Amino acid sequence: MRKLGLIGGMSWVSTRAYYEDINQIVQRRVGPTASAPLLIESIDFSRLYRVTGGDQWDHAAEVLIKSARRLESAGAGALVIAANSMHAVYDRVQAEVSIPVIHIADCVARKMTEREVRRAGLLGTRNVMMEDFYRERLVVEDIELLPPNMDVVETLDTIIYDELMHGKVRRDSERELRTMITNLEKAGAEAVVMACTELDLLIDTGANVLPIFDSGHIHAAAAADWIIGDDTPTESVIDA
């Protein structure tokens, strides 16, 4: 198996899920005593929390580039940024290392194309829902994304940053998410892209009116495929 570098800590909740998912897939496919060869650098998320504006994104890029270089120097053959929003600086990170960085939105787009989903709603932080760096990776694959509703954007951003990233799960927030997904269906979505790695704390992927494409689980499955050296993508631990 090949050694993967994982840039985590954004937040530690999602990093834990990546570690579990990757190892569950490796154990299932390689053998009951196997575990994934991983290098994990857990970044202090307080340095990157709720990044906005050019200077803050420049700082975020610098932090992730340094982490990527350290992981490459330590022997990682590929990298994963274990957060959706930090893919805003993906291009800058990829340009500074000589090993591939597996893009989370590319993995999601591939899975949606396999399932022939062509119109979807996107749920995530404000940056992910409003900016082009994530959406364009899906649109270029002919996946139409519904326009963001600003009330949903603000409510969901608050739930993610003030609750889920602290490991808090509230019943009211769970109901809010269920309503958001129902409204996306009414607006014509065929599926929902869950573009925040903490949202699985609230969303039951198998108990909603629409198929849920869980970006974190799909990304982790692609990472496990790379580790194992299999060019045929596996099903994620909790598949859409």
Side-chain angles (χ1 to χ4, degrees):
M1 291 189 287
R2 297 181 287 189
K3 185 177 293 185
L4 180 82
L6 193 151
I7 303 175
M10 306 168 290
S11 65
W12 68 264
V13 175
S14 63
T15 305
R16 176 182 60 189
Y18 269 82
Y19 185 79
E20 290 177 351
D21 284 359
I22 291 169
N23 275 289
Q24 285 175 18
I25 294 169
V26 166
Q27 185 180 49
R28 187 171 68 239
R29 292 174 56 191
V30 177
T33 61
S35 55
L38 291 169
L39 294 169
I40 302 175
E41 178 157 299
S42 186
I43 291 171
D44 176 7
F45 194 36
S46 66
R47 302 169 63 193
L48 303 175
Y49 186 75
R50 272 188 165 150
V51 174
T52 57
D55 290 344
Q56 291 185 27
W57 280 116
D58 288 343
H59 172 67
E62 181 182 356
V63 171
L64 266 65
I65 287 168
K66 288 180 178 178
S67 178
R69 287 173 174 167
R70 285 191 291 268
L71 290 168
E72 181 180 21
S73 296
L79 297 173
V80 161
I81 301 170
N84 284 271
S85 60
M86 285 299 129
H87 280 74
V89 297
Y90 169 90
D91 290 338
R92 286 193 262 183
V93 175
Q94 180 63 88
E96 295 297 328
V97 292
S98 61
I99 57 177
V101 183
I102 302 170
H103 198 294
I104 192 169
D106 289 347
C107 299
V108 172
R110 183 164 56 248
K111 183 68 70 174
M112 295 178 76
T113 299
E114 289 172 4
R115 301 294 177 84
E116 299 182 347
V117 173
R118 290 301 173 196
R119 195 164 195 256
L122 181 68
L123 297 178
T125 63
R126 183 186 294 108
N127 291 332
V128 168
M129 294 182 71
M130 297 298 297
E131 298 181 23
D132 291 337
F133 71 91
Y134 198 98
R135 301 177 70 90
E136 66 186 8
R137 294 271 178 164
L138 302 179
V139 172
V140 76
E141 298 298 331
D142 296 324
I143 298 167
E144 178 187 355
L145 292 175
L146 298 180
N149 176 300
M150 286 310 301
D151 289 337
V152 170
V153 170
E154 296 304 325
T155 298
L156 193 51
D157 197 72
T158 298
I159 289 171
I160 292 168
Y161 279 108
D162 293 350
E163 298 173 23
L164 300 183
M165 288 190 178
H166 302 281
K168 298 177 182 178
V169 178
R170 295 177 62 247
R171 185 66 60 86
D172 287 347
S173 297
E174 186 177 353
R175 284 194 288 265
E176 289 265 17
L177 262 293
R178 195 177 299 119
T179 299
M180 290 175 191
I181 293 169
T182 299
N183 289 338
L184 287 172
E185 183 201 25
K186 292 177 180 177
E190 301 170 4
V192 172
V193 177
M194 199 165 80
C196 170
T197 49
E198 286 85 9
L199 279 177
D200 68 348
L201 294 172
L202 284 182
I203 298 177
D204 182 348
T205 57
N208 276 283
V209 294
L210 290 174
I212 307 294
F213 287 81
D214 186 330
S215 62
H217 290 298
I218 292 170
H219 200 203
D225 289 334
W226 183 89
I227 290 169
I228 296 167
D230 188 351
D231 293 331
T232 303
T234 189
E235 296 294 308
S236 58
V237 174
I238 302 178
D239 204 4

